[in-house]
Amino acid sequence: MAIKDIQQEILKLKKENDICILAHCYQSPEILEVADYTGDSFGLAVEAAKVENKTVIMCGVRFMAETVKILSPDKTVILSNADAGCPMAEMMDKDVISEVKKQYPDYTVVAYVNTTSELKTVCDVCVTSSSALKICRKLESDKILFIPDRNLGSWIAEQLPEKEFKLLSGGCPTHAKIGKEAVLAAKAKHPDALFLVHPECVSEVVELADYVGSTTGIMDYARKSDAKEFIIGTENSIVTHLQLECPDKKFYPLSKNLICNNMKATTLVDVLNCCKGCGGEVIELDEETRLGAKRCIDKMIELG
């Protein structure tokens, strides 16, 4: 079957079977084209909670599908590829952080949304990459244990010197493996380009950026900017998406190695099989875990 034929079959089946398809913006263009909503992980979960569809397919990774289930317990939530995990989300678990909390009992535990639902149950508040600074600033506590991404935590800490941060050794292996040398090489090759970067990158990379922000923040900045050339310091699929959206501008990857294999695990045929009812994995959360994780997310929403 040709790609367009598979897409047409997906569009037909999702209508017949009352399905909403969510696609994280790191997915391939052919998957984004059949999705009802595209964007960052938490934004997708919020949209899923609003729709009337009884079945939701998450084209992303496991923690994203769990977040959808947390906010939409009555919906059938399907992870499009059962092997699509997130190394950062799996670096720390509930038992480890429970022990760390005993060492720092007066610290507020701030969990990046890129964590498992189980881990969220022992944290105080969630944050996204776009809301982390705002929420950490609003916290009454001046002592923050930020998990699991030490690079995002470090970026926040630098902007909030009035607060004390404890950071653990965790992060996104895709973003963290790119160093300063890659930035200097890209800037030398494209001297007129602005450098847009995700705060999951190491500090020596973030310090060289013209803009630091979430994936959707990077895309919005590039769309609205009067500049015509950009170096993109996040997963390389964003380069492709921006090239298609803004053909009058030029977009360059920071490194050919900025590829998330977990995000690339999902294929268009995976989505088709989910729509047929013979693919993916149905996400199940016990109610105690769901409510414990939701408390952490509710606090994030309360703080804006």
Side-chain angles (χ1 to χ4, degrees):
M1 293 178 71
I3 288 176
K4 65 178 181 179
D5 295 328
I6 298 173
Q7 290 177 319
Q8 287 301 313
E9 183 68 10
I10 289 171
L11 294 175
K12 180 176 75 74
L13 288 171
K14 74 172 184 177
K15 184 176 181 180
E16 292 175 355
N17 298 326
D18 191 30
I19 295 171
C20 173
I21 297 178
L22 311 174
H24 189 273
C25 43
Y26 288 170
Q27 294 294 311
S28 62
E30 60 265 26
I31 291 176
L32 297 187
E33 288 172 356
V34 298
D36 297 285
Y37 298 97
T38 65
D40 281 338
S41 60
F42 184 69
L44 292 175
V46 171
E47 293 298 335
K50 298 176 183 177
V51 302
E52 295 182 359
N53 307 80
K54 296 303 182 182
T55 300
V56 177
I57 297 172
M58 167 55 80
C59 303
V61 296
R62 184 168 297 274
F63 84 83
M64 298 177 185
E66 289 184 352
T67 305
V68 174
K69 188 65 176 179
I70 290 167
L71 298 185
S72 302
D74 296 330
K75 291 182 170 67
T76 298
V77 179
I78 301 171
L79 176 61
S80 55
N81 185 305
D83 294 326
C86 173
M88 174 164 55
E90 297 161 4
M91 283 178 180
M92 300 173 189
D93 60 27
K94 180 179 178 179
D95 292 339
V96 168
I97 298 306
S98 293
E99 288 301 313
V100 174
K101 286 175 66 176
K102 293 177 183 178
Q103 300 175 44
Y104 303 102
D106 53 344
Y107 279 68
T108 295
V109 183
V110 177
Y112 194 15
V113 73
N114 300 38
T115 44
T116 65
S117 54
E118 185 179 53
L119 178 51
K120 288 181 177 72
T121 64
V122 294
C123 299
D124 297 304
V125 61
C126 264
V127 295
T128 64
S129 53
S130 59
S131 69
L133 177 60
K134 179 180 181 180
I135 289 174
C136 287
R137 179 179 285 124
K138 281 188 172 184
L139 290 174
E140 292 182 6
S141 174
D142 60 358
K143 294 182 178 181
I144 295 172
L145 173 63
F146 193 99
I147 62 169
D149 193 330
R150 70 175 294 108
N151 292 327
L152 176 60
S154 176
W155 181 65
I156 299 299
E158 288 179 5
Q159 298 173 80
L160 297 175
E162 69 275 15
K163 299 199 178 224
E164 182 179 339
F165 280 74
K166 291 291 183 183
L167 307 174
L168 304 183
S169 185
C172 170
T174 301
H175 284 99
K177 68 185 176 184
I178 306 301
K180 181 179 180 179
E181 297 78 11
V183 182
L184 297 179
K187 282 178 171 283
K189 190 174 182 179
H190 310 290
D192 297 325
L194 296 181
F195 177 39
L196 318 182
V197 72
H198 198 288
E200 289 179 15
C201 289
V202 296
S203 59
E204 64 179 11
V205 168
V206 173
E207 288 168 359
L208 297 172
D210 296 290
Y211 172 82
V212 182
S214 66
T215 304
T216 51
I218 288 172
M219 295 183 76
D220 286 342
Y221 185 94
R223 292 184 191 109
K224 296 173 183 177
S225 175
D226 292 331
K228 292 299 183 182
E229 296 185 52
F230 305 87
I231 299 165
I232 304 299
T234 190
E235 218 278 343
N236 284 344
S237 56
I238 300 305
V239 175
T240 302
H241 301 328
L242 286 170
Q243 287 173 337
L244 294 173
E245 284 191 42
C246 309
D248 59 323
K249 298 179 179 182
K250 293 183 178 179
F251 299 94
Y252 314 109
L254 172 58
S255 167
K256 64 182 180 181
N257 297 319
L258 261 171
I259 297 173
C260 177
N261 292 322
N262 280 278
M263 282 293 186
K264 295 296 183 286
T266 298
T267 67
L268 189 64
V269 173
D270 288 335
V271 183
L272 174 62
N273 288 333
C274 288
C275 291
K276 289 180 176 179
C278 60
E281 178 184 336
V282 175
I283 299 298
E284 303 286 358
L285 296 176
D286 65 82
E287 192 65 356
E288 182 180 0
T289 298
R290 189 189 74 81
L291 291 176
K294 186 174 184 296
R295 172 191 51 79
C296 191
I297 292 173
D298 287 343
K299 187 64 177 180
M300 172 176 70
I301 295 171
E302 175 190 331
L303 294 173

